[in-house]
Amino acid sequence: MAVTRAGFIGLGIMGAPMAANLIKAGFEVTVWNRSPSRTQPLLDAGARAAHSPSAVAAASEVTFSCVTNSGDVEEVALGPEGVIHGAQPGSIYVDCSTISPETARKVSHELAVRRVGMLDAPVSGGDVGAIAGTLAIMVGGEASVFERCLPLLHAMGRTVVHVGPIGAGQVVKLCNQVAGGLNLLAAAEAVNLARRCGVDPAKMLEVVSAGAAASWMLSNLAPRAVKGDYAPGFMVDLMQKDLRLVLDAAGQTHTPLPGTALVSQLFQSIQAEGRGADGTQSLVDAIAKLSR
């Protein structure tokens, strides 16, 4: 039977527009957020409020979460008021956070005991993609569970790919953060070279973004930095959390990632200035400071 009732836990920069797109697609949506004030725009759009993650799960056939880190996922899924205590047998939990693959596998195992399915489905595309419903969603879990959730995932994302068993979604997201971080470093270096050589970086970006060096970072984040706009689509602190997961996985598998380690160090220099809440486009400033 088609899913009609969805839940969403975690209504931050990414979660709120993702939940809004589920409402727009016609699903009955129940929401919960640690800060209740963030639920009001979704309630105005037709969502229902729940008092806990377990209550969201009790009202939903498929419950989504998009929270900060591995510990937060364990809390909302397995904690005293977690999804596990409200989810009915046969229901599904889909976590869209970026966490360690090991945490995804642990939560899935605990939920399976209650006959609750799980997908790990981290997303990429930033706040722009979350608002537009054009996210890339990389999904790990059983194929039959994935197929059942496809209509909901397509309400939030343009590219939805089943990449393997539980935990595989998180591995692919870590790969995404490697490529994204290095693309952003390339954009930051290009902007600073243009400036140092007396060329308008906005003009440089206009033409380079249309050629072989084009990337999402070059088209979306570099122009913000050129304008001095450091509002976060994705905060430096969160990127650093993800890069720690990347480097942990690299250490466990003896995989050398020298470029990623450099990007993490440059972001650390931004954090040392107290700018961890800035958007990741602030990497342009970190490169600029090397020239001073």
Side-chain angles (χ1 to χ4, degrees):
M1 294 179 62
V3 173
T4 60
R5 294 178 288 111
F8 213 103
I9 297 165
L11 305 174
I13 290 174
M14 299 295 288
M18 291 167 70
N21 283 328
L22 289 173
I23 297 169
K24 291 175 186 176
F27 294 101
E28 299 174 25
V29 178
T30 302
V31 298
W32 178 86
N33 191 70
R34 187 164 46 193
S35 302
S37 60
R38 296 194 69 104
T39 65
Q40 193 57 52
L42 290 162
L43 301 184
D44 293 342
R48 300 171 183 173
H51 60 81
S52 66
S54 63
V56 172
S60 307
E61 297 163 277
V62 177
T63 300
F64 290 86
S65 65
C66 190
V67 293
T68 303
N69 55 43
S70 298
D72 292 326
V73 171
E74 289 198 48
E75 180 65 22
V76 300
L78 306 178
E81 295 187 310
V83 167
I84 195 169
H85 301 296
Q88 298 300 308
S91 64
I92 299 168
Y93 172 58
V94 182
D95 178 49
C96 298
S97 317
T98 300
I99 60 173
S100 73
E102 292 81 4
T103 298
R105 296 183 191 111
K106 174 185 176 181
V107 173
S108 176
H109 175 76
E110 296 292 330
L111 291 173
V113 174
R114 306 287 186 97
R115 293 191 292 124
V116 176
M118 179 176 171
L119 300 174
D120 64 306
V123 302
S124 179
D127 58 334
V128 174
I131 293 166
T134 58
L135 293 168
I137 308 178
M138 46 225 81
V139 188
E142 293 184 7
S144 59
V145 177
F146 170 73
E147 292 292 333
R148 189 176 175 206
C149 292
L150 263 177
L152 297 99
L153 295 169
H154 278 304
M156 300 180 289
R158 176 180 294 162
T159 302
V160 181
V161 180
H162 183 229
V163 297
I166 197 75
Q170 296 299 339
V171 172
V172 174
K173 179 58 184 288
L174 298 186
C175 295
N176 179 88
Q177 300 305 74
V178 170
L182 289 170
N183 276 322
L184 186 53
L185 175 59
E189 291 192 357
V191 166
N192 280 288
L193 179 61
R195 281 176 170 161
R196 298 279 293 182
C197 293
V199 172
D200 182 349
K203 292 292 186 182
M204 179 276 295
L205 290 172
E206 180 181 356
V207 64
V208 172
S209 296
S215 72
W216 191 94
M217 298 295 184
L218 205 68
S219 297
N220 290 274
L221 292 189
R224 290 192 193 183
V226 168
K227 295 175 183 176
D229 175 8
Y230 297 109
F234 192 60
M235 289 191 296
V236 168
D237 283 344
L238 294 180
M239 184 63 164
Q240 279 289 73
K241 180 266 296 183
D242 292 356
L243 293 181
R244 283 193 292 273
L245 294 174
V246 169
L247 294 171
D248 284 347
Q252 292 165 12
T253 56
H254 305 292
T255 305
L257 299 176
T260 303
L262 172 60
V263 171
S264 179
Q265 286 295 304
L266 290 166
F267 277 129
Q268 188 165 306
S269 74
I270 297 168
Q271 289 177 306
E273 295 179 347
R275 297 178 59 191
D278 281 2
T280 52
Q281 65 269 29
S282 57
L283 192 63
V284 171
D285 276 5
I287 296 297
K289 285 183 173 62
L290 297 178
S291 302
R292 295 173 187 166

